[in-house]
Structures are given as C-alpha cells and as structure tokens.
Amino acid sequence: SQQGEEDPQALSIQEGENATMNCSYKTSINNLQWYRQNSGRGLVHLILIRSNEREKHSGRLRVTLDTSKKSSSLLITASRAADTASYFCATVVFSGGGADGLTFGKGTHLIIQP
Amino acid sequence: NAGVMQNPRHLVRRRGQEARLRCSPMKGHSHVYWYRQLPEEGLKFMVYLQKENIIDESGMPKERFSAEFPKEGPSILRIQQVVRGDSAAYFCASSRSQGGLAKNIQYFGAGTRLSVL
C-alpha cells in the first residue's frame, strides 16, 4: 500500500485563489518533501520539512506537518496558471544506510483556471 | 551546470527485446536512484546506487531488471525480455554525497518513456 496518500486526487480552482493539498502517511519518518511534476516532465523539489518541524514557508508555499496524525498539507497562495501541475508528497525513512529512496503518494493534480 | 540527464527520452521496444536506459547524475552527485511511474500513479522506488555499489534494490522486480553505476560513465537500468507491463516512465534522480539533509533532496531527470509493443 502507499506510504503517502494525497488528497484530493484532483483540484480545480480559479487563478488567484489558494490551493490546499493534503498528504497522509503510515510509518514514522525522518522528513517529508513535496515535489511538483509538470505534464510529461521530471519532478521538481519544492520544500522539505523535518519531523521535528511543524510549519515551513517558501515564497507562496506553506507546508505543515503533524506527526501525531501522520499528515502534512501544502498550501499555495495566490495561485497562478503556471502552478498547474501534479503535486506529490514523499517521505524519507532513514534505515541507517544514508540517503534512502523516496516513497511517493499518487499525487494531487492541480488545475488553475485563468 | 547540467542537471540530471536521461536518454533516450522515448524508447520503443517489441516484446522480448532488451531496453537500456541511461542516466548521468548532476555534477558532484554520487547517489543515483531509479523510479518507475505508471500512468496516473506516483513514482515507485526501484533501486538506489552509489558508484560501483547497489545500496538498496528492494523495489526492483526479481527477474529481468538490473541496474549498475560504474566507476566511469552513466548509470544504466537494463530490462531484459521486455513485456507490455514494463511500459512506463522511468525516472532517475541523483543527490549529493555530503552528510545531512542535503543528501535527501533528489534532483530528477526528465525521464525515459518506454513503450513495449
């Protein structure tokens, strides 16, 4: 089963509105990351939040992490047409061997209507 | 400063043929990861390599799939005797070798889209 599950699966909003996406996971993590994927392209790293952090900001992005509920949210404020993409959360579980593979959810497909 | 380079971008193979996918990590990166993405799905981790070593191959199918990252040259993901179910986008990512959280930020290539006829 998926480690990360994003919700909603698809979200369509008007340009200028805020977009909120959620992610839930199952196991204890070291950190959680959000990535963006434009259609037919590779993933672009957006933001990383450590397990001991509760909130983090980067430009128009705000990420929260609630380890007690094993959930995270990504908020994009003042959305733009260029924000149209799929957004994935990914978790990192250290096994002691160093940088481990990321475990991705299925993603939220965000459409910004002009 | 070139990013992660994958080639080819598109690869068409007939059932039973071999597919070889190449990945050159970012300059200064010694960790390489391969992921597979099916349509409308997230990426699934396949294998993690450092130079000349496979560190974690827990996501690799037990048969027909292999990966290497030689001392010189790109990392190669090899799929022997391809079947239609192997059709997917295969992404490579790399990360730095220094300690700390910098290792966990992975930089992705544009992917290779494999179509098996």
Side-chain angles (χ1 to χ4, degrees), chain A residues 2 33 37 40 50 99 102, chain B residues 33 35 37 44 48 101 113:
Chain A
Q2 294 285 125
Q33 303 174 38
Q37 183 180 34
R50 305 177 193 190
L102 296 167
Chain B
Y33 311 79
Y35 296 85
Q37 184 179 35
K44 295 285 196 298
Y48 159 42
L101 281 173
R113 276 145 191 83

Side-chain angles (χ1 to χ4, degrees), chain A residues 3-105:
Chain A
Q3 161 73 327
E5 294 279 355
E6 289 91 343
D7 122 78
Q9 287 189 328
L11 179 62
S12 179
I13 61 174
Q14 294 294 126
E15 195 168 17
E17 293 180 337
N18 296 340
T20 300
M21 289 158 272
N22 303 296
C23 167
S24 60
Y25 57 92
K26 294 181 171 61
T27 65
S28 296
I29 60 172
N30 180 277
N31 65 73
L32 184 145
Q33 303 174 38
W34 285 90
Y35 284 79
R36 182 185 72 207
Q37 183 180 34
N38 290 88
S39 180
R41 306 294 294 273
L43 275 72
V44 175
H45 179 264
L46 295 176
I47 195 165
L48 180 154
I49 186 166
R50 305 177 193 190
S51 60
N52 62 353
E53 296 177 312
R54 292 295 166 259
E55 188 172 311
K56 203 160 183 181
H57 296 254
S58 176
R60 293 184 296 113
L61 305 180
R62 173 178 167 251
V63 168
T64 64
L65 179 65
D66 187 335
T67 52
S68 66
K69 295 181 180 178
K70 291 187 168 60
S71 67
S72 173
S73 68
L74 171 68
L75 168 68
I76 303 174
T77 60
S79 63
R80 304 168 183 168
D83 294 330
T84 294
S86 292
Y87 291 82
F88 296 90
C89 71
T91 54
V92 174
V93 179
F94 273 143
S95 63
D100 294 335
L102 296 167
T103 302
F104 286 88

Side-chain angles (χ1 to χ4, degrees), chain B residues 13-115:
Chain B
R13 284 287 177 267
R14 297 191 181 281
R15 281 179 294 172
Q17 291 185 320
E18 178 180 287
R20 291 172 72 88
L21 288 63
R22 286 176 290 277
C23 169
S24 295
M26 282 182 71
K27 187 176 181 180
H29 287 192
S30 60
H31 300 248
V32 165
Y33 311 79
W34 284 94
Y35 296 85
R36 177 166 61 179
Q37 184 179 35
L38 296 170
E40 307 303 321
E41 296 277 328
L43 276 68
K44 295 285 196 298
F45 167 75
M46 298 180 74
V47 62
Y48 159 42
L49 311 103
Q50 292 182 26
K51 283 286 187 182
E52 299 184 280
N53 289 305
I54 296 175
I55 306 302
D56 180 355
E57 56 181 346
S58 58
M60 286 277 271
K62 293 287 184 274
E63 296 175 347
R64 301 187 298 107
F65 284 72
S66 63
E68 63 176 11
F69 188 16
K71 188 176 179 180
E72 301 290 339
S75 175
I76 305 287
L77 179 67
R78 183 179 175 210
I79 312 172
Q80 296 178 289
Q81 299 175 326
V82 295
V83 300
R84 288 214 173 119
D86 297 332
S87 295
Y90 292 83
F91 290 94
C92 169
S94 70
S95 66
R96 288 188 294 182
S97 58
Q98 289 93 331
L101 281 173
K103 277 198 298 191
N104 299 135
I105 296 177
Q106 296 181 17
Y107 297 84
F108 283 79
T112 293
R113 276 145 191 83
L114 173 65
S115 297

